[in-house]
Amino acid sequence: MTALLTIIVLVFILVAIWQMVKIFDLAQAKNENDNPGVATDKDNSINGYLMMGFLAFIYVITIVSFVKWGDLPLVSNSASEHGPTIDNLMIISMIIIFFVQTVTQFLLHYFAFKYKGEKGKKALFFADNNKLEAIWTIIPVIVLAGLIIYGLNTWINIMGVDESDDPLVVELYAQQFNWKARYGGADNTLGKANVRLIDIDRANILGLDESDPDAQDDIITTELHLPVGRPVLFKMRSQDVLHSAYMPHFRAQMNCVPGMITQFGFTPTITTAEMRETPQMQEKVTNINNIRVEKSKALVAKGEEALERYEFDYLLLCNKICGKSHYNMQMKIVVETQEEYDAWIAEQKEFKNSLVN
């Protein structure tokens, strides 16, 4: 596929160079009697048919791409309560964009063919047409207004975390180039924190206020565990530069901005174990491992270690280019039952017991 794309790009480059050479030749021509800059009916006819040919090429490539790589319905495997709503918004937007693109490209190329220049033919045009202008203004306004209202309503529903649902409060702390998670402990309340209070010598790596009672039972981890079916409210901080907490399977993303706290909430609906058992995920994992097996053969032949087998896990990624190791800034997310979560959290060390005296 890469070779094919390279060939196509090279062809387009050669065509562009050829056109530039023709333009240069026309500009240098001195014989005005030959009218070298005036296109003939034959030239216009050829260009008209080429426009229709290119239109067919666009449609064929689009259909092939959908059939071979489309993976319809384009988005799937959402693992949060609001995930299907986001997916529906994306699908609706894609359908509208695809329809508009198909119609406008057809009109653009067809009109270039139908109304190509011909000797003695005079173009018919409207200096202005209020009716047409009203139509092509009102229709986009209605469509865009519908999308914006739908999207805004979706956003409000996602961001409006109901405190009465007793959401699990978790802080996501970003720094170049790793993540930390902080849980509120038994009282589900995060203690005060400030980057100026960071004390590496005392292992206060997130700058928690040691005098704050709410901070004493906070729990800091390098792995994010979430109970399935329970709302989670994330509070996000950054120690250094702008980061972006991105959890693709949960359709969640929010910037982590130095000097301020941002937040985002969702309810996980599918455990890690359940997601691993879905046919689509099993097929994906099998394909990845087959690729790793093939690559491992070459590595073993060189005397290097074979690649480890891939196993699916939810991930928290950074979606802002934050430095040279941005690509590897990620944290494992485990979605599990409430019982499994309670057992895991009970094994973690509280902040007051993690300090070094």
Side-chain angles (χ1 to χ4, degrees):
M1 185 59 191
T2 303
L4 175 61
L5 290 175
T6 302
I7 292 172
I8 292 174
V9 170
L10 290 175
V11 169
F12 280 126
I13 291 174
L14 291 174
V15 170
I17 293 174
W18 175 59
Q19 290 292 335
M20 291 174 64
V21 171
K22 286 185 63 178
I23 293 172
F24 181 77
D25 289 342
L26 291 173
Q28 295 297 315
K30 296 182 179 179
N31 189 351
E32 296 181 359
N33 295 328
D34 294 339
N35 292 325
V38 178
T40 65
D41 286 354
K42 182 179 179 181
D43 294 331
N44 291 330
S45 180
I46 291 174
N47 284 324
Y49 282 108
L50 285 175
M51 289 292 281
M52 294 304 292
F54 188 69
L55 175 65
F57 171 77
I58 292 175
Y59 286 161
V60 169
I61 287 295
T62 302
I63 293 171
V64 170
S65 298
F66 266 114
V67 172
K68 192 168 183 179
W69 300 290
D71 194 19
L72 298 175
L74 301 181
V75 287
S76 59
N77 281 341
S78 64
S80 63
E81 197 172 81
H82 73 263
T85 306
I86 296 290
D87 292 351
N88 288 337
L89 181 60
M90 178 66 74
I91 291 171
I92 291 172
S93 299
M94 290 296 294
I95 290 173
I96 293 174
I97 291 170
F98 181 74
F99 173 77
V100 172
Q101 187 268 350
T102 301
V103 173
T104 54
Q105 289 300 313
F106 171 77
L107 292 176
L108 173 67
H109 290 78
Y110 177 70
F111 273 49
F113 167 75
K114 182 174 177 59
Y115 300 106
K116 57 185 178 289
E118 295 179 2
K119 189 173 181 179
K121 185 177 181 180
K122 186 176 181 180
L124 174 65
F125 66 92
F126 298 97
D128 63 85
N129 188 309
N130 294 335
K131 184 177 180 180
L132 281 176
E133 292 176 7
I135 290 173
W136 68 49
T137 301
I138 292 173
I139 291 177
V141 166
I142 293 174
V143 174
L144 289 175
L147 283 175
I148 292 170
I149 292 172
Y150 180 28
L152 184 60
N153 184 60
T154 301
W155 176 253
I156 292 172
N157 290 336
I158 293 171
M159 297 303 294
V161 178
D162 192 348
E163 298 288 347
S164 64
D165 291 337
D166 188 30
L168 175 67
V169 180
V170 182
E171 179 184 75
L172 296 179
Y173 186 83
Q175 63 183 125
Q176 295 174 311
F177 297 96
N178 64 74
W179 296 95
K180 298 289 190 301
R182 177 163 67 108
Y183 295 82
D187 58 3
N188 197 32
T189 302
L190 294 171
K192 297 177 183 178
N194 192 304
V195 292
R196 294 181 177 85
L197 299 178
I198 292 176
D199 188 344
I200 300 300
D201 293 335
R202 285 181 51 76
N204 187 355
I205 56 176
L206 301 191
L208 273 63
D209 186 347
E210 298 179 24
S211 63
D212 183 7
D214 288 333
Q216 303 308 308
D217 63 346
D218 285 2
I219 296 170
I220 301 172
T221 67
T222 56
E223 192 172 88
L224 181 59
H225 283 240
L226 303 174
V228 68
R230 182 178 178 183
V232 183
L233 177 60
F234 293 99
K235 304 284 187 176
M236 304 177 189
R237 286 194 298 147
S238 172
Q239 177 176 307
D240 34 51
V241 299
L242 183 66
H243 299 278
S244 187
Y246 177 45
M247 294 167 271
H249 283 90
F250 303 104
R251 308 298 190 259
Q253 178 172 329
M254 180 59 67
N255 286 345
C256 305
V257 184
M260 66 181 295
I261 297 175
T262 54
Q263 69 177 40
F264 195 102
F266 63 79
T267 302
T269 56
I270 303 176
T271 66
T272 300
E274 290 171 341
M275 183 61 79
R276 288 173 178 171
E277 294 301 317
T278 59
Q280 187 174 7
M281 192 55 64
Q282 289 183 337
E283 180 183 357
K284 175 182 177 180
V285 170
T286 299
N287 290 338
I288 291 175
N289 282 325
N290 288 339
I291 294 172
R292 291 194 173 193
V293 167
E294 292 301 316
K295 289 189 174 182
S296 292
K297 292 178 182 178
L299 293 174
V300 171
K302 296 178 182 178
E304 301 177 18
E305 292 185 6
L307 298 173
E308 296 180 0
R309 287 186 61 80
Y310 169 75
E311 183 176 46
F312 169 78
D313 279 306
Y314 294 122
L315 290 175
L316 165 62
L317 307 169
C318 178
N319 208 23
K320 283 285 188 295
I321 299 177
C322 56
K324 61 182 181 181
S325 294
H326 156 76
Y327 71 95
N328 201 33
M329 184 174 169
Q330 56 184 264
M331 180 164 65
K332 178 180 175 180
I333 302 175
V334 179
V335 179
E336 55 200 354
T337 64
Q338 184 67 51
E339 293 75 17
E340 291 171 329
Y341 170 79
D342 291 339
W344 173 81
I345 202 72
E347 296 174 353
Q348 308 308 309
K349 187 179 293 186
E350 293 182 346
F351 172 68
K352 62 184 178 184
N353 298 324
S354 66
L355 292 174
V356 177
N357 295 320

